[in-house]
Amino acid sequence: MSNYRAVVNSQGQFETKKQTSILSKSLIVGGVAFGITFAFSLLLYFLLNKYISNENQDIVTSLYVISIICIIATLVLSLFTLRRIEKIKLALLIWMIVLYAIGNGLSFGVLFYAISLSQSSIDMYDIIICFLLTCGIFAISGTVGTMLSARFTLSLGKFLMIATFAFLISFLILMFISLFTHILGSEKINILIWAIWGVMIILYIMYDLSVISKSQQFIQMSDSPTQTKYVFMFGFMLFVNLIQLFWVMIRLMLSLKR
C-alpha cells in the first residue's frame, strides 16, 4: 500500500515521490516482531529439549517468571506511551516491542517444551499450523478491516469496549463459580471461552486496521519523526493482536486434541 507526495527539488520544482503508507510500515513492524518472536520461541524450545534435565528444571521456572516480568513491564510502559505518542521518545516504543517479544517468546518456548513432555497428542507440526492459521486469519480480517466505513469503525469500537467488559465480568463470575463446581474444568466451557475471545480478537484486528487506514492521511501531514513513532505504536498494537490470536489458536488446539 503506497501513495505519493509532492516534494520540492533543488531547482524549486515540484516532484512526485512514491511513499510507503503508515499502514504498510506498521504491518511490517508488527509482522516482523511476530515472526521473530515465534522463531525465538522455537529456538528456546529446541534448547530446552536438548539441555534441560531433571537436575536443572528450575531454569524453566525462572524463564517463565522472566516472561511474566517482561509482559508486565510492557503493560506499564504502554500506559505511559500510547496516549502521549507525540511526547515520548521512539526508543521507548522500541523497548516496549522488544520486552513484549521477549516475554511472549519465553512463554511460548516454555509452553512448547511443556507440551513435548506431556501426554498430549499435539506436536510441533500442530504448533506451526497454529502459526500459519494465525497469519491467515490476521490477513483476512485485516483486509476486511481496511474496507470498513468510518461510521462502522466507530460503532465497532464502542461494541468492543462493551463486549470486552462483559466478557471479563462473565469470565470472573465463571472463575468464582468454578471454585465450588469446577465448571472451568469442562473442556466444552474452555473451548467456548477461547472461541469467544478469538472472535473478539479478530474484531479488534479489523478495528485496529480500520483505524490505522483512516488516520494515516492525517498522520502523514506530521513531521517524519512523529510519523515514525506512529508506525511503531501501530505496529505494536498489531503485534499484540497477532500474539493474542496465536495464544487463542494454541489453546483451542490443546482443548480440541485432549
Side-chain angles (χ1 to χ4, degrees), residues 31-249:
V32 168
F34 181 60
I36 291 175
T37 301
F38 182 66
F40 171 65
S41 66
L42 287 181
L43 176 62
L44 178 61
Y45 158 74
F46 289 120
L47 290 174
L48 291 175
N49 261 324
K50 185 174 182 179
Y51 295 108
I52 294 298
S53 61
N54 292 331
E55 290 76 22
N56 54 7
Q57 283 287 332
D58 290 343
I59 294 177
V60 178
T61 303
S62 300
L63 290 174
Y64 187 66
V65 172
I66 293 172
S67 74
I68 294 175
I69 293 173
C70 288
I71 293 173
I72 292 176
T74 304
L75 294 175
V76 173
L77 280 176
S78 66
L79 293 176
F80 293 97
T81 57
L82 297 184
R83 295 190 177 184
R84 304 175 60 193
I85 185 65
E86 296 185 1
K87 296 181 180 180
I88 57 95
K89 294 183 178 180
L90 177 61
L92 192 59
L93 286 169
I94 295 175
W95 268 111
M96 193 165 63
I97 295 173
V98 170
L99 283 173
Y100 197 69
I102 292 174
N104 282 281
L106 291 173
S107 294
F108 285 130
V110 170
L111 175 63
F112 300 161
Y113 174 69
I115 290 174
S116 69
L117 295 180
S118 68
Q119 300 299 318
S120 173
S121 59
I122 291 183
D123 53 29
M124 288 311 300
Y125 291 107
D126 295 316
I127 299 298
I128 293 173
I129 289 174
C130 287
F131 175 78
L132 295 176
L133 281 173
T134 299
C135 295
I137 293 173
F138 180 88
I140 294 171
S141 55
T143 301
V144 173
T146 57
M147 297 187 293
L148 298 179
S149 66
R151 179 176 294 181
F152 189 88
T153 299
L154 184 62
S155 300
L156 181 59
K158 293 178 180 178
F159 168 78
L160 285 172
M161 288 180 60
I162 298 172
T164 302
F165 181 76
F167 176 84
L168 292 176
I169 294 297
S170 302
F171 184 71
L172 290 174
I173 292 173
L174 280 173
M175 284 189 64
F176 178 77
I177 295 174
S178 68
L179 294 175
F180 306 99
T181 63
H182 303 289
I183 190 171
L184 289 184
S186 169
E187 284 305 318
K188 290 182 179 180
I189 295 295
N190 284 330
I191 291 173
L192 178 62
I193 289 173
W194 284 104
I196 292 173
W197 184 237
V199 171
M200 290 181 62
I201 292 299
I202 290 172
L203 293 177
Y204 268 111
I205 293 171
M206 293 170 58
Y207 174 74
D208 286 342
L209 266 294
S210 182
V211 169
I212 298 170
S213 177
K214 289 167 179 56
S215 62
Q216 61 183 351
Q217 59 180 328
F218 303 103
I219 296 172
Q220 284 170 337
M221 292 189 234
S222 307
D223 56 89
S224 183
T226 301
Q227 288 186 36
T228 303
K229 286 190 284 188
Y230 271 105
V231 165
F232 277 87
M233 182 191 76
F234 289 145
F236 172 72
M237 292 165 53
L238 300 178
F239 178 36
V240 170
N241 288 334
L242 277 163
I243 290 291
Q244 291 299 312
L245 186 58
F246 189 40
W247 273 115
V248 169
M249 292 293 105

